[in-house]
PDB file of all heavy atoms in Angstrom:
ATOM      1  N   PHE A   1     119.152 -71.474 -48.319  1.00  0.00           N
ATOM      2  CA  PHE A   1     118.023 -71.542 -49.184  1.00  0.00           C
ATOM      3  C   PHE A   1     118.262 -72.012 -50.567  1.00  0.00           C
ATOM      4  O   PHE A   1     119.271 -71.604 -51.145  1.00  0.00           O
ATOM      5  CB  PHE A   1     117.305 -70.062 -49.157  1.00  0.00           C
ATOM      6  CG  PHE A   1     116.234 -69.974 -50.094  1.00  0.00           C
ATOM      7  CD1 PHE A   1     114.880 -70.318 -49.679  1.00  0.00           C
ATOM      8  CD2 PHE A   1     116.381 -69.402 -51.324  1.00  0.00           C
ATOM      9  CE1 PHE A   1     113.879 -70.199 -50.544  1.00  0.00           C
ATOM     10  CE2 PHE A   1     115.253 -69.299 -52.207  1.00  0.00           C
ATOM     11  CZ  PHE A   1     114.023 -69.644 -51.806  1.00  0.00           C
ATOM     12  N   LYS A   2     117.325 -72.868 -51.064  1.00  0.00           N
ATOM     13  CA  LYS A   2     117.623 -73.417 -52.446  1.00  0.00           C
ATOM     14  C   LYS A   2     116.453 -73.031 -53.301  1.00  0.00           C
ATOM     15  O   LYS A   2     115.319 -73.117 -52.933  1.00  0.00           O
ATOM     16  CB  LYS A   2     117.712 -74.894 -52.456  1.00  0.00           C
ATOM     17  CG  LYS A   2     118.954 -75.466 -51.637  1.00  0.00           C
ATOM     18  CD  LYS A   2     119.015 -76.934 -51.737  1.00  0.00           C
ATOM     19  CE  LYS A   2     120.334 -77.366 -51.041  1.00  0.00           C
ATOM     20  NZ  LYS A   2     120.372 -78.891 -50.900  1.00  0.00           N
ATOM     21  N   ARG A   3     116.761 -72.679 -54.502  1.00  0.00           N
ATOM     22  CA  ARG A   3     115.768 -72.396 -55.568  1.00  0.00           C
ATOM     23  C   ARG A   3     115.929 -73.282 -56.727  1.00  0.00           C
ATOM     24  O   ARG A   3     117.109 -73.398 -57.286  1.00  0.00           O
ATOM     25  CB  ARG A   3     115.775 -70.829 -56.009  1.00  0.00           C
ATOM     26  CG  ARG A   3     114.893 -70.457 -57.098  1.00  0.00           C
ATOM     27  CD  ARG A   3     114.624 -69.006 -57.286  1.00  0.00           C
ATOM     28  NE  ARG A   3     113.696 -68.591 -56.154  1.00  0.00           N
ATOM     29  CZ  ARG A   3     113.864 -67.416 -55.546  1.00  0.00           C
ATOM     30  NH1 ARG A   3     114.842 -66.582 -55.894  1.00  0.00           N
ATOM     31  NH2 ARG A   3     113.085 -67.123 -54.591  1.00  0.00           N
ATOM     32  N   ASN A   4     114.911 -73.852 -57.154  1.00  0.00           N
ATOM     33  CA  ASN A   4     114.970 -74.845 -58.259  1.00  0.00           C
ATOM     34  C   ASN A   4     115.347 -74.057 -59.562  1.00  0.00           C
ATOM     35  O   ASN A   4     114.869 -73.018 -59.779  1.00  0.00           O
ATOM     36  CB  ASN A   4     113.625 -75.562 -58.395  1.00  0.00           C
ATOM     37  CG  ASN A   4     113.674 -76.802 -59.346  1.00  0.00           C
ATOM     38  OD1 ASN A   4     114.358 -76.770 -60.338  1.00  0.00           O
ATOM     39  ND2 ASN A   4     112.961 -77.752 -58.968  1.00  0.00           N
ATOM     40  N   VAL A   5     116.194 -74.661 -60.365  1.00  0.00           N
ATOM     41  CA  VAL A   5     116.663 -74.075 -61.570  1.00  0.00           C
ATOM     42  C   VAL A   5     115.495 -73.801 -62.558  1.00  0.00           C
ATOM     43  O   VAL A   5     115.566 -72.851 -63.341  1.00  0.00           O
ATOM     44  CB  VAL A   5     117.731 -74.967 -62.344  1.00  0.00           C
ATOM     45  CG1 VAL A   5     117.957 -74.465 -63.727  1.00  0.00           C
ATOM     46  CG2 VAL A   5     118.998 -74.946 -61.469  1.00  0.00           C
ATOM     47  N   SER A   6     114.433 -74.574 -62.475  1.00  0.00           N
ATOM     48  CA  SER A   6     113.309 -74.347 -63.382  1.00  0.00           C
ATOM     49  C   SER A   6     112.643 -73.010 -63.072  1.00  0.00           C
ATOM     50  O   SER A   6     111.943 -72.485 -64.017  1.00  0.00           O
ATOM     51  CB  SER A   6     112.227 -75.420 -63.237  1.00  0.00           C
ATOM     52  OG  SER A   6     111.776 -75.479 -61.879  1.00  0.00           O
ATOM     53  N   GLU A   7     112.780 -72.418 -61.920  1.00  0.00           N
ATOM     54  CA  GLU A   7     112.248 -71.080 -61.619  1.00  0.00           C
ATOM     55  C   GLU A   7     113.107 -70.000 -62.197  1.00  0.00           C
ATOM     56  O   GLU A   7     112.611 -68.871 -62.419  1.00  0.00           O
ATOM     57  CB  GLU A   7     112.216 -70.905 -60.109  1.00  0.00           C
ATOM     58  CG  GLU A   7     111.307 -71.758 -59.379  1.00  0.00           C
ATOM     59  CD  GLU A   7     111.391 -71.510 -57.895  1.00  0.00           C
ATOM     60  OE1 GLU A   7     111.351 -70.326 -57.396  1.00  0.00           O
ATOM     61  OE2 GLU A   7     111.377 -72.535 -57.087  1.00  0.00           O
ATOM     62  N   ILE A   8     114.349 -70.313 -62.588  1.00  0.00           N
ATOM     63  CA  ILE A   8     115.285 -69.354 -63.024  1.00  0.00           C
ATOM     64  C   ILE A   8     115.576 -69.511 -64.581  1.00  0.00           C
ATOM     65  O   ILE A   8     115.798 -68.553 -65.274  1.00  0.00           O
ATOM     66  CB  ILE A   8     116.607 -69.463 -62.328  1.00  0.00           C
ATOM     67  CG1 ILE A   8     116.378 -69.336 -60.816  1.00  0.00           C
ATOM     68  CG2 ILE A   8     117.661 -68.492 -62.825  1.00  0.00           C
ATOM     69  CD1 ILE A   8     117.626 -69.696 -60.014  1.00  0.00           C
ATOM     70  N   GLU A   9     115.420 -70.644 -65.000  1.00  0.00           N
ATOM     71  CA  GLU A   9     115.700 -71.059 -66.440  1.00  0.00           C
ATOM     72  C   GLU A   9     114.968 -70.165 -67.436  1.00  0.00           C
ATOM     73  O   GLU A   9     113.736 -69.985 -67.280  1.00  0.00           O
ATOM     74  CB  GLU A   9     115.380 -72.520 -66.678  1.00  0.00           C
ATOM     75  CG  GLU A   9     115.853 -73.049 -68.031  1.00  0.00           C
ATOM     76  CD  GLU A   9     115.574 -74.495 -68.124  1.00  0.00           C
ATOM     77  OE1 GLU A   9     114.737 -75.081 -67.472  1.00  0.00           O
ATOM     78  OE2 GLU A   9     116.338 -75.143 -68.993  1.00  0.00           O
ATOM     79  N   GLY A  10     115.641 -69.658 -68.417  1.00  0.00           N
ATOM     80  CA  GLY A  10     114.914 -68.892 -69.456  1.00  0.00           C
ATOM     81  C   GLY A  10     114.773 -67.388 -69.152  1.00  0.00           C
ATOM     82  O   GLY A  10     114.324 -66.674 -70.021  1.00  0.00           O
ATOM     83  N   LYS A  11     115.162 -66.973 -67.988  1.00  0.00           N
ATOM     84  CA  LYS A  11     114.950 -65.612 -67.644  1.00  0.00           C
ATOM     85  C   LYS A  11     116.268 -64.843 -67.896  1.00  0.00           C
ATOM     86  O   LYS A  11     117.388 -65.450 -67.810  1.00  0.00           O
ATOM     87  CB  LYS A  11     114.545 -65.417 -66.200  1.00  0.00           C
ATOM     88  CG  LYS A  11     113.116 -65.982 -65.959  1.00  0.00           C
ATOM     89  CD  LYS A  11     112.747 -65.698 -64.457  1.00  0.00           C
ATOM     90  CE  LYS A  11     111.386 -66.290 -64.321  1.00  0.00           C
ATOM     91  NZ  LYS A  11     110.965 -66.149 -62.914  1.00  0.00           N
ATOM     92  N   GLU A  12     116.092 -63.518 -68.264  1.00  0.00           N
ATOM     93  CA  GLU A  12     117.311 -62.731 -68.651  1.00  0.00           C
ATOM     94  C   GLU A  12     117.321 -61.485 -67.843  1.00  0.00           C
ATOM     95  O   GLU A  12     116.232 -60.920 -67.649  1.00  0.00           O
ATOM     96  CB  GLU A  12     117.239 -62.466 -70.095  1.00  0.00           C
ATOM     97  CG  GLU A  12     118.326 -61.603 -70.665  1.00  0.00           C
ATOM     98  CD  GLU A  12     118.109 -61.366 -72.114  1.00  0.00           C
ATOM     99  OE1 GLU A  12     117.570 -62.143 -72.842  1.00  0.00           O
ATOM    100  OE2 GLU A  12     118.614 -60.273 -72.562  1.00  0.00           O
ATOM    101  N   THR A  13     118.483 -61.021 -67.398  1.00  0.00           N
ATOM    102  CA  THR A  13     118.581 -59.787 -66.671  1.00  0.00           C
ATOM    103  C   THR A  13     119.574 -58.949 -67.365  1.00  0.00           C
ATOM    104  O   THR A  13     120.633 -59.397 -67.879  1.00  0.00           O
ATOM    105  CB  THR A  13     119.087 -60.050 -65.209  1.00  0.00           C
ATOM    106  OG1 THR A  13     118.141 -60.910 -64.626  1.00  0.00           O
ATOM    107  CG2 THR A  13     119.195 -58.747 -64.486  1.00  0.00           C
ATOM    108  N   ARG A  14     119.262 -57.641 -67.591  1.00  0.00           N
ATOM    109  CA  ARG A  14     120.139 -56.779 -68.198  1.00  0.00           C
ATOM    110  C   ARG A  14     120.534 -55.600 -67.308  1.00  0.00           C
ATOM    111  O   ARG A  14     119.744 -55.198 -66.549  1.00  0.00           O
ATOM    112  CB  ARG A  14     119.486 -56.126 -69.480  1.00  0.00           C
ATOM    113  CG  ARG A  14     119.137 -57.113 -70.520  1.00  0.00           C
ATOM    114  CD  ARG A  14     118.542 -56.443 -71.747  1.00  0.00           C
ATOM    115  NE  ARG A  14     117.946 -57.407 -72.534  1.00  0.00           N
ATOM    116  CZ  ARG A  14     116.854 -57.298 -73.174  1.00  0.00           C
ATOM    117  NH1 ARG A  14     116.102 -56.238 -73.135  1.00  0.00           N
ATOM    118  NH2 ARG A  14     116.369 -58.252 -73.990  1.00  0.00           N
ATOM    119  N   TYR A  15     121.781 -55.228 -67.332  1.00  0.00           N
ATOM    120  CA  TYR A  15     122.254 -54.162 -66.496  1.00  0.00           C
ATOM    121  C   TYR A  15     122.828 -53.058 -67.351  1.00  0.00           C
ATOM    122  O   TYR A  15     123.496 -53.387 -68.349  1.00  0.00           O
ATOM    123  CB  TYR A  15     123.344 -54.686 -65.571  1.00  0.00           C
ATOM    124  CG  TYR A  15     122.911 -55.717 -64.559  1.00  0.00           C
ATOM    125  CD1 TYR A  15     123.057 -57.072 -64.932  1.00  0.00           C
ATOM    126  CD2 TYR A  15     122.411 -55.325 -63.331  1.00  0.00           C
ATOM    127  CE1 TYR A  15     122.573 -57.924 -64.017  1.00  0.00           C
ATOM    128  CE2 TYR A  15     121.919 -56.299 -62.499  1.00  0.00           C
ATOM    129  CZ  TYR A  15     122.070 -57.577 -62.837  1.00  0.00           C
ATOM    130  OH  TYR A  15     121.648 -58.612 -61.903  1.00  0.00           O
ATOM    131  N   THR A  16     122.664 -51.852 -66.888  1.00  0.00           N
ATOM    132  CA  THR A  16     123.262 -50.650 -67.617  1.00  0.00           C
ATOM    133  C   THR A  16     124.241 -50.012 -66.728  1.00  0.00           C
ATOM    134  O   THR A  16     123.886 -49.654 -65.554  1.00  0.00           O
ATOM    135  CB  THR A  16     122.141 -49.647 -68.020  1.00  0.00           C
ATOM    136  OG1 THR A  16     121.227 -50.329 -68.870  1.00  0.00           O
ATOM    137  CG2 THR A  16     122.713 -48.519 -68.748  1.00  0.00           C
ATOM    138  N   ILE A  17     125.497 -49.850 -67.206  1.00  0.00           N
ATOM    139  CA  ILE A  17     126.442 -49.077 -66.359  1.00  0.00           C
ATOM    140  C   ILE A  17     126.848 -47.922 -67.053  1.00  0.00           C
ATOM    141  O   ILE A  17     127.213 -47.961 -68.292  1.00  0.00           O
ATOM    142  CB  ILE A  17     127.619 -50.121 -66.182  1.00  0.00           C
ATOM    143  CG1 ILE A  17     127.289 -51.413 -65.404  1.00  0.00           C
ATOM    144  CG2 ILE A  17     128.804 -49.362 -65.444  1.00  0.00           C
ATOM    145  CD1 ILE A  17     128.267 -52.390 -65.318  1.00  0.00           C
ATOM    146  N   THR A  18     126.846 -46.791 -66.391  1.00  0.00           N
ATOM    147  CA  THR A  18     127.216 -45.540 -67.000  1.00  0.00           C
ATOM    148  C   THR A  18     128.664 -45.139 -66.792  1.00  0.00           C
ATOM    149  O   THR A  18     129.279 -45.779 -65.833  1.00  0.00           O
ATOM    150  CB  THR A  18     126.316 -44.401 -66.463  1.00  0.00           C
ATOM    151  OG1 THR A  18     126.531 -44.179 -65.058  1.00  0.00           O
ATOM    152  CG2 THR A  18     124.796 -44.726 -66.757  1.00  0.00           C
ATOM    153  N   ALA A  19     129.108 -44.256 -67.444  1.00  0.00           N
ATOM    154  CA  ALA A  19     130.489 -43.813 -67.211  1.00  0.00           C
ATOM    155  C   ALA A  19     130.657 -43.235 -65.732  1.00  0.00           C
ATOM    156  O   ALA A  19     131.644 -43.407 -65.085  1.00  0.00           O
ATOM    157  CB  ALA A  19     130.980 -42.680 -68.212  1.00  0.00           C
ATOM    158  N   GLU A  20     129.602 -42.513 -65.281  1.00  0.00           N
ATOM    159  CA  GLU A  20     129.567 -42.053 -63.879  1.00  0.00           C
ATOM    160  C   GLU A  20     129.656 -43.186 -62.876  1.00  0.00           C
ATOM    161  O   GLU A  20     130.337 -43.077 -61.913  1.00  0.00           O
ATOM    162  CB  GLU A  20     128.292 -41.147 -63.700  1.00  0.00           C
ATOM    163  CG  GLU A  20     128.166 -40.693 -62.220  1.00  0.00           C
ATOM    164  CD  GLU A  20     129.145 -39.744 -61.794  1.00  0.00           C
ATOM    165  OE1 GLU A  20     129.857 -39.042 -62.676  1.00  0.00           O
ATOM    166  OE2 GLU A  20     129.352 -39.537 -60.645  1.00  0.00           O
ATOM    167  N   ASP A  21     128.922 -44.263 -63.178  1.00  0.00           N
ATOM    168  CA  ASP A  21     129.051 -45.399 -62.264  1.00  0.00           C
ATOM    169  C   ASP A  21     130.509 -45.997 -62.163  1.00  0.00           C
ATOM    170  O   ASP A  21     130.966 -46.278 -61.121  1.00  0.00           O
ATOM    171  CB  ASP A  21     128.105 -46.539 -62.740  1.00  0.00           C
ATOM    172  CG  ASP A  21     126.626 -46.252 -62.648  1.00  0.00           C
ATOM    173  OD1 ASP A  21     126.227 -45.422 -61.807  1.00  0.00           O
ATOM    174  OD2 ASP A  21     125.930 -46.747 -63.519  1.00  0.00           O
ATOM    175  N   MET A  22     131.177 -46.089 -63.283  1.00  0.00           N
ATOM    176  CA  MET A  22     132.523 -46.605 -63.325  1.00  0.00           C
ATOM    177  C   MET A  22     133.457 -45.625 -62.696  1.00  0.00           C
ATOM    178  O   MET A  22     134.271 -46.056 -61.922  1.00  0.00           O
ATOM    179  CB  MET A  22     132.990 -46.837 -64.832  1.00  0.00           C
ATOM    180  CG  MET A  22     132.181 -47.981 -65.478  1.00  0.00           C
ATOM    181  SD  MET A  22     132.580 -48.400 -67.206  1.00  0.00           S
ATOM    182  CE  MET A  22     133.839 -47.471 -67.722  1.00  0.00           C
ATOM    183  N   ARG A  23     133.208 -44.275 -62.817  1.00  0.00           N
ATOM    184  CA  ARG A  23     134.162 -43.393 -62.265  1.00  0.00           C
ATOM    185  C   ARG A  23     134.026 -43.427 -60.770  1.00  0.00           C
ATOM    186  O   ARG A  23     134.924 -43.355 -60.002  1.00  0.00           O
ATOM    187  CB  ARG A  23     133.754 -42.003 -62.734  1.00  0.00           C
ATOM    188  CG  ARG A  23     134.668 -40.883 -62.232  1.00  0.00           C
ATOM    189  CD  ARG A  23     134.165 -39.432 -62.511  1.00  0.00           C
ATOM    190  NE  ARG A  23     133.046 -39.148 -61.825  1.00  0.00           N
ATOM    191  CZ  ARG A  23     132.985 -38.859 -60.436  1.00  0.00           C
ATOM    192  NH1 ARG A  23     134.065 -38.933 -59.777  1.00  0.00           N
ATOM    193  NH2 ARG A  23     131.824 -38.564 -59.931  1.00  0.00           N
ATOM    194  N   ARG A  24     132.708 -43.605 -60.235  1.00  0.00           N
ATOM    195  CA  ARG A  24     132.506 -43.579 -58.834  1.00  0.00           C
ATOM    196  C   ARG A  24     133.101 -44.885 -58.231  1.00  0.00           C
ATOM    197  O   ARG A  24     133.729 -44.906 -57.196  1.00  0.00           O
ATOM    198  CB  ARG A  24     130.956 -43.553 -58.593  1.00  0.00           C
ATOM    199  CG  ARG A  24     130.627 -43.362 -57.101  1.00  0.00           C
ATOM    200  CD  ARG A  24     129.205 -43.310 -56.860  1.00  0.00           C
ATOM    201  NE  ARG A  24     128.419 -42.321 -57.674  1.00  0.00           N
ATOM    202  CZ  ARG A  24     127.528 -42.578 -58.592  1.00  0.00           C
ATOM    203  NH1 ARG A  24     127.158 -43.848 -58.750  1.00  0.00           N
ATOM    204  NH2 ARG A  24     126.870 -41.621 -59.206  1.00  0.00           N
ATOM    205  N   GLU A  25     132.850 -46.006 -58.890  1.00  0.00           N
ATOM    206  CA  GLU A  25     133.383 -47.344 -58.431  1.00  0.00           C
ATOM    207  C   GLU A  25     135.004 -47.303 -58.358  1.00  0.00           C
ATOM    208  O   GLU A  25     135.528 -47.884 -57.482  1.00  0.00           O
ATOM    209  CB  GLU A  25     132.912 -48.344 -59.304  1.00  0.00           C
ATOM    210  CG  GLU A  25     133.356 -49.811 -58.901  1.00  0.00           C
ATOM    211  CD  GLU A  25     132.755 -50.266 -57.612  1.00  0.00           C
ATOM    212  OE1 GLU A  25     131.683 -49.816 -57.284  1.00  0.00           O
ATOM    213  OE2 GLU A  25     133.347 -51.112 -56.896  1.00  0.00           O
ATOM    214  N   LEU A  26     135.635 -46.741 -59.357  1.00  0.00           N
ATOM    215  CA  LEU A  26     137.048 -46.635 -59.401  1.00  0.00           C
ATOM    216  C   LEU A  26     137.617 -45.475 -58.612  1.00  0.00           C
ATOM    217  O   LEU A  26     138.800 -45.242 -58.490  1.00  0.00           O
ATOM    218  CB  LEU A  26     137.548 -46.609 -60.867  1.00  0.00           C
ATOM    219  CG  LEU A  26     137.172 -47.729 -61.696  1.00  0.00           C
ATOM    220  CD1 LEU A  26     137.542 -47.516 -63.179  1.00  0.00           C
ATOM    221  CD2 LEU A  26     137.891 -49.027 -61.181  1.00  0.00           C
ATOM    222  N   LYS A  27     136.728 -44.698 -57.997  1.00  0.00           N
ATOM    223  CA  LYS A  27     137.088 -43.417 -57.189  1.00  0.00           C
ATOM    224  C   LYS A  27     138.017 -42.508 -58.025  1.00  0.00           C
ATOM    225  O   LYS A  27     139.024 -42.045 -57.586  1.00  0.00           O
ATOM    226  CB  LYS A  27     137.785 -43.899 -55.938  1.00  0.00           C
ATOM    227  CG  LYS A  27     136.843 -44.705 -54.996  1.00  0.00           C
ATOM    228  CD  LYS A  27     137.566 -45.200 -53.798  1.00  0.00           C
ATOM    229  CE  LYS A  27     136.770 -45.865 -52.839  1.00  0.00           C
ATOM    230  NZ  LYS A  27     135.877 -46.999 -53.250  1.00  0.00           N
TER     231      LYS A  27
END
């Protein structure tokens, strides 16, 4: 599947990672 860059351009995504998330990921 292909999505044109014009549909994505200019959009921003932010992620929040907590200490608990890192602890769980690193076991």
Side-chain angles (χ1 to χ4, degrees):
F1 173 83
K2 292 181 182 180
R3 176 163 285 141
N4 195 322
V5 169
S6 63
E7 296 177 43
I8 302 168
E9 187 176 25
K11 294 184 179 175
E12 177 182 333
T13 301
R14 295 182 192 141
Y15 296 95
T16 302
I17 298 174
T18 65
E20 176 65 20
D21 294 332
M22 291 178 6
R23 187 191 66 74
R24 190 179 308 117
E25 181 68 26
L26 297 172
K27 296 175 177 52

